[in-house]
């Protein structure tokens, strides 16, 4: 069976060069937390619950850019989501930090109190309203979040009824220093999240990571073991690491875990203080690139077939062949919940 259609919005600076794809809980391991294979009680999810949708591939272009005006950024985001939905997208993925310039100076200024909602978080209020009105699922990229005296880089997932279904705080902060190329220390302002995020939606079970999270295969393995069909990574790789690692990381996470990976990046703006590589992409469970943008603003819409996940795992069953007697990955969150 083929599942619903998703949509990635990639943006200029941090609004979105847009790319739309199609994609898409129960506890898995009841007694052991060794991540050695895909638990039996998640496999049937690949063959039911997600009816085939009659959606044709679409590619369009528009002009969007992020400005210092947050209200304008929010309106631009809403317009882009509505356009994508009109073209058949049922899952919309926004870029990392789409309502603010990507800088440590900007994060505190643009941060919102997501838990308070309403006027305290106009960005997520818009996402909730649009998701409910359009009856779509939105993986809301990420925005700076304030909570008490801490700031987080946070992704909110809204269901088709507008409810906040999950909130993922970036677990791995982007602290890098490549001499002569790029230096950026998110930890100067941001606090790392502590919780992996898997959420059941109308379009499948989705794992969430933000940008630098993609480099850590252990997180993706936990998502696969929890039965995710798709991992969404809003991100903003830069001009140094992007050409080498952006697509490679996506393909590796998809291939290693035999699931779909969708990424959404800001489009490239050479005038920005932080220049994004772009190239929002959808990767299939064999590590194949199914759809991608260049670095400009763009929208891609494609249809995904979740039943392929089971086919791939049956024909190449390496999740069953892992040597649990030699190495183990423990899901600490599940372990602590028992």
């Amino acid at each position: 069976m083929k599942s619903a259609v998703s949509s990635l919005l990639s943006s200029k600076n941090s609004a979105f060069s847009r790319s739309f794809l199609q994609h898409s809980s129960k506890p898995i391991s009841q007694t052991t937390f060794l991540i050695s294979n895909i638990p039996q009680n998640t496999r049937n999810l690949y063959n039911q619950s997600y009816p085939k949708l009659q959606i044709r591939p679409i590619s369009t272009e528009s002009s969007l850019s992020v400005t210092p005006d947050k209200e304008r950024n929010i309106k631009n985001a809403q317009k882009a989501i509505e356009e994508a939905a009109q073209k058949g997208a049922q899952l919309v993925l926004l870029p990392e930090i789409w309502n603010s310039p990507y800088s440590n100076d900007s994060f505190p200024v643009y941060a919102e109190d997501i838990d308070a909602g309403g006027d305290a978080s106009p960005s997520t209020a818009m996402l909730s309203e649009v998701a409910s009105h359009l009856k779509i699922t939105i993986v809301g990229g990420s925005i700076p979040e304030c909570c008490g005296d801490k700031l987080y880089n946070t992704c909110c997932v809204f269901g088709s009824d507008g409810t906040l279904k999950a909130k993922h705080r970036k677990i791995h902060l982007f602290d890098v220093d490549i001499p002569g190329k790029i230096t950026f220390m998110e930890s100067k302002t941001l606090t790392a999240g502590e919780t992996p995020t898997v959420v059941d939606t109308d379009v499948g079970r989705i794992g969430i990571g933000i940008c630098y999270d993609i480099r850590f295969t252990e997180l993706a393995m936990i998502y696969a073991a929890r039965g995710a069909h798709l991992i969404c990574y809003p991100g903003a790789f830069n001009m140094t690491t992007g050409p080498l690692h952006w697509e490679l990381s996506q393909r590796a996470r998809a291939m290693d875990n035999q699931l779909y990976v969708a990424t959404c990046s800001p489009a490239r703006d050479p005038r920005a203080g932080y220049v994004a590589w772009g190239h929002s992409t959808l990767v299939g469970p064999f590590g194949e690139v199914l759809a991608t943008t260049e670095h400009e603003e763009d929208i891609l819409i494609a249809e995904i077939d979740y039943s392929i996940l089971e086919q791939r795992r049956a024909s190449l069953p390496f999740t069953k062949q892992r040597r649990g007697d030699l190495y183990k990955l423990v899901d600490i969150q599940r372990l602590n919940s028992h």
Side-chain angles (χ1 to χ4, degrees), residues 83-264:
E83 180 181 344
Q86 289 172 1
K87 298 178 184 301
Q90 294 190 353
L91 170 62
V92 178
L93 173 60
L94 303 183
E96 181 182 25
I97 307 294
W98 57 266
N99 70 344
S100 161
Y102 190 88
S103 73
N104 279 315
D105 290 340
S106 297
F107 295 153
V109 177
Y110 289 78
E112 301 182 5
D113 187 340
I114 295 171
D115 292 340
D119 292 341
S121 185
S123 298
T124 59
M126 179 275 289
L127 296 179
S128 173
E129 181 179 351
V130 172
S132 176
H133 177 69
L134 299 176
K135 306 302 179 187
I136 60 174
T137 298
I138 298 178
V139 178
S142 75
I143 65 171
E145 177 197 10
C146 57
C147 183
D149 61 352
K150 295 181 178 180
L151 295 175
Y152 298 93
N153 186 342
T154 301
C155 175
C156 293
V157 180
F158 290 92
S160 56
D161 59 356
T163 60
L164 177 61
K165 298 182 70 68
K167 186 171 70 170
H168 177 81
R169 290 167 170 168
K170 189 173 186 177
I171 295 174
H172 305 92
L173 296 184
F174 181 60
D175 284 3
V176 299
D177 183 9
I178 303 175
K181 295 291 184 178
I182 183 171
T183 299
F184 200 100
M185 298 291 169
E186 279 189 330
S187 63
K188 283 186 175 180
T189 54
L190 300 177
T191 298
E194 298 291 338
T195 308
T197 304
V198 179
V199 55
D200 284 316
T201 73
D202 291 343
V203 288
R205 183 175 292 181
I206 301 174
I208 305 295
I210 299 175
C211 200
Y212 205 53
D213 285 339
I214 199 173
R215 290 188 177 274
F216 300 88
T217 187
E218 297 88 349
L219 182 62
M221 290 176 68
I222 287 174
Y223 289 161
R226 293 187 186 182
H229 307 95
L230 160 73
I231 305 177
C232 288
Y233 293 101
F237 269 49
N238 55 75
M239 296 298 293
T240 298
T241 59
L244 290 173
H245 300 157
W246 180 233
E247 182 182 299
L248 176 64
S249 297
Q250 296 170 61
R251 296 182 67 189
R253 298 296 82 78
M255 181 197 69
D256 288 348
N257 299 286
Q258 295 177 309
L259 42 63
Y260 289 95
V261 166
T263 62
C264 188

Side-chain angles (χ1 to χ4, degrees), residues 46-76:
Y46 306 134
N47 291 318
Q48 58 185 305
S49 301
Y50 307 107
K52 179 178 179 180
L53 301 179
Q54 301 301 319
I55 298 175
R56 62 188 186 280
I58 299 173
S59 178
T60 62
E61 295 182 1
S62 68
S63 178
L64 291 172
S65 63
V66 163
T67 73
D69 184 341
K70 182 195 282 189
E71 183 177 355
R72 179 177 175 183
N73 295 336
I74 293 171
K75 289 180 179 178
N76 286 346

Side-chain angles (χ1 to χ4, degrees), residues 36-37 313-325 327:
S36 58
N37 53 38
R313 289 167 178 172
S315 61
L316 188 61
F318 60 77
T319 55
K320 296 180 180 179
Q321 298 162 343
R322 289 196 174 107
R323 290 293 302 274
D325 57 325
Y327 45 80

